[in-house]
Amino acid sequence: TMSAKAVPTKKAASSSVTQSSVTQSSVTQSSGALPVQAQVGKTPAKKRSAVTKHVQRAELVATYASKLGVTAMVSDILEAFTGQPDEEVSVDALAQGLEVCGLNADVTVLASITPKAWPALAKMTSGHVILVLSQKGDVITIFDRSAPDQTAEVPMYEFAPFFSGTVVRAGKSLATL
């Protein structure tokens, strides 16, 4: 195997790839495999961002499933997203992703925000989807991968104006009990 090092690249006038942005890590000479970064570099930016968004949504669905005690494969959830337009994963596709995990899932529009609504995937007016874990009074606890305990508390007055009212909720099916 070769040690990690920068891979020389040709810089075209329209390319923003630099030598330091493409690295190689333990690629065997006999396999001729390309480093992952080099393969990603050949994907158009729009397609790359759609793939990234789909993976992020699949990881969020898998996290929700794990909070309900179900082990989920991100690759299986991604298959449920097949046919979704670039950059968008519908709430119905999120529900299908949860069903692939062996959960019962439904899409609901909430009449009001109450503690009984959570946990659920919440669609925001921006199109983002977040995992709301719980609500205590006027404080919503959300999943936040960047926080040390992976949760963040958000006051209702910050959450409510940006919440679309649509949630994807899941529960264990008879098959998983």
Side-chain angles (χ1 to χ4, degrees):
T1 62
M2 297 169 22
S3 62
K5 64 177 186 174
V7 176
T9 60
K10 291 183 182 177
K11 184 162 180 148
S14 64
S15 171
S16 62
V17 176
T18 64
Q19 285 185 325
S20 63
S21 70
V22 180
T23 59
Q24 187 173 22
S25 59
S26 65
V27 176
T28 59
Q29 290 177 329
S30 62
S31 73
L34 291 174
V36 173
Q37 291 84 353
Q39 292 170 358
V40 170
K42 294 180 180 180
T43 307
K46 184 176 180 183
K47 195 72 163 169
R48 207 174 31 240
S49 69
V51 168
T52 301
K53 185 171 275 190
H54 285 204
V55 169
Q56 289 170 341
R57 297 279 166 89
E59 289 172 345
L60 192 61
V61 167
T63 300
Y64 183 23
S66 73
K67 298 288 183 191
L68 298 174
V70 175
T71 302
M73 298 291 295
V74 171
S75 58
D76 293 342
I77 297 165
L78 278 170
E79 285 183 30
F81 296 168
T82 303
Q84 291 295 300
D86 287 352
E87 308 245 358
E88 186 57 41
V89 178
S90 70
V91 289
D92 291 329
L94 294 171
Q96 287 175 328
L98 288 162
E99 289 170 357
V100 164
C101 300
L103 295 164
N104 288 329
D106 66 302
V107 178
T108 308
V109 176
L110 300 178
S112 61
I113 303 172
T114 66
K116 291 180 183 178
W118 319 113
L121 296 171
K123 183 157 183 156
M124 307 308 283
T125 56
S126 64
H128 287 83
V129 176
I130 62 172
L131 173 54
V132 178
L133 300 169
S134 63
Q135 175 184 345
K136 189 171 188 178
D138 284 342
V139 178
I140 300 280
T141 302
I142 64 169
F143 173 75
D144 180 356
R145 186 179 321 271
S146 66
D149 67 351
Q150 296 192 333
T151 64
E153 292 185 338
V154 180
M156 185 64 73
Y157 68 85
E158 287 182 14
F159 175 80
F162 303 101
F163 176 51
S164 71
T166 303
V167 295
V168 181
R169 288 191 278 202
K172 288 191 175 185
S173 66
L174 289 177
T176 59
L177 292 178

